[in-house]
Amino acid sequence: MDMLTGEQIAAADLTDWRKLAQGLHARYLVDGFSAGARFVAAVGEAGDAVGHHPSVAIGHGHVDLKLSSDDAVYRDGEGTEHLVEWVTQQDVELARRITEVAAEHRLTADPAAVSVIELGLDTAQSAAIAPVWAALLTGRADAQGHGSPSDEIRDASGRVPNLWFGDALEHAGSRQRFHLEVYVAPEAAEERIAAVLAAGGTIADDSDAPSLTVIADQDGNQGVICIDASATNR
């Protein structure tokens, strides 16, 4: 299936779900592990019916779900097709069904609580260094470019955060190369930025806000608070 645009995802109006990084994410609050397991079993049945399933994590008082497709079709500027990990129509349809399942179990969604962390590394030679990072992070060479037309490192099992490569000059000196990208729900971004400022951090660059807000700690180390502004109508 074709990958969906942010505008198409926003038009689907998935009230319980938020688009973060490559997927749709939801958190449902549960009264204990057994209740969470029963919900997950029902979600599994819903996925069996369509041959597609979310990634699931049961935590203390909540169940976290991620929906994405490994075979979404992306067309580059020259019209060449690539298979990537992204949101497709089957994810939207299953998200709607899971929302119905959650209602049947009388569960409440907490969409503002969803979050995804990715690693960013600025480099002038991503093709050369990516195999090293694929081996270090995952132990697998095929993690390089997995679900992406770039050299980005993605672990198919989701054990470690994705590592993507940004552009940098070949001799960039001692400037910071690594940084964290923290994806949050759009309605949570303002509060997250306020918390950073209250803790003594500063805004280093908000020229691309609200999609990207670069923050810095007292030592000048930077991170980025990210939202997918195109995929929300909130």
Side-chain angles (χ1 to χ4, degrees):
M1 293 185 179
D2 285 352
M3 61 184 290
L4 297 184
T5 65
E7 290 74 15
Q8 289 171 317
I9 296 170
D13 196 24
L14 302 171
T15 56
D16 292 357
W17 299 77
R18 297 293 181 269
K19 167 67 168 54
L20 307 179
Q22 295 83 33
L24 297 174
H25 294 258
R27 168 169 288 189
Y28 289 98
L29 305 181
V30 296
D31 185 16
F33 187 90
S34 295
R38 289 192 294 271
F39 172 55
V40 169
V43 168
E45 292 178 359
D48 289 343
V50 295
H52 187 53
H53 298 87
S55 299
V56 178
I58 302 178
H60 183 67
H62 64 265
V63 173
D64 287 341
L65 304 170
K66 174 191 173 183
L67 278 167
S68 63
S69 297
D70 290 333
D71 55 354
V73 177
Y74 161 72
R75 295 176 181 84
D76 62 24
E78 298 178 352
T80 303
E81 293 188 353
H82 306 269
L83 294 183
V84 299
E85 179 191 357
W86 201 259
V87 178
T88 66
Q89 188 61 33
Q90 70 175 350
D91 298 301
V92 168
E93 292 171 0
L94 185 53
R96 289 196 179 107
R97 177 59 189 134
I98 292 174
T99 297
E100 294 172 352
V101 172
E104 293 165 3
H105 284 246
R106 298 183 180 179
L107 301 182
T108 300
D110 188 8
V114 297
S115 183
V116 170
I117 294 177
E118 292 194 343
L119 304 174
L121 174 57
D122 294 331
T123 177
Q125 49 179 350
S126 64
I129 70 173
V132 176
W133 290 100
L136 176 63
L137 292 174
T138 74
R140 296 180 59 92
D142 59 5
Q144 179 181 348
H146 174 77
S148 170
S150 69
D151 289 314
E152 184 173 342
I153 310 302
R154 297 185 187 175
D155 178 19
S157 69
R159 295 169 299 172
V160 297
N162 293 343
L163 169 64
W164 63 270
F165 301 100
D167 293 330
L169 298 176
E170 187 170 355
H171 303 289
S174 60
R175 63 180 293 274
Q176 181 182 345
R177 293 291 189 104
F178 264 114
H179 65 272
L180 297 178
E181 293 210 338
V182 182
Y183 287 80
V184 299
E187 63 266 41
E190 185 175 345
E191 182 178 355
R192 185 66 62 93
I193 293 169
V196 169
L197 298 179
T202 58
I203 295 177
D205 184 358
D206 60 0
S207 60
D208 291 321
S211 296
L212 305 173
T213 302
V214 182
I215 60 91
D217 65 14
Q218 293 88 331
D219 280 343
N221 303 303
Q222 295 184 351
V224 188
I225 296 174
C226 311
I227 67 169
D228 193 333
S230 70
T232 181
N233 50 20
R234 294 169 179 81

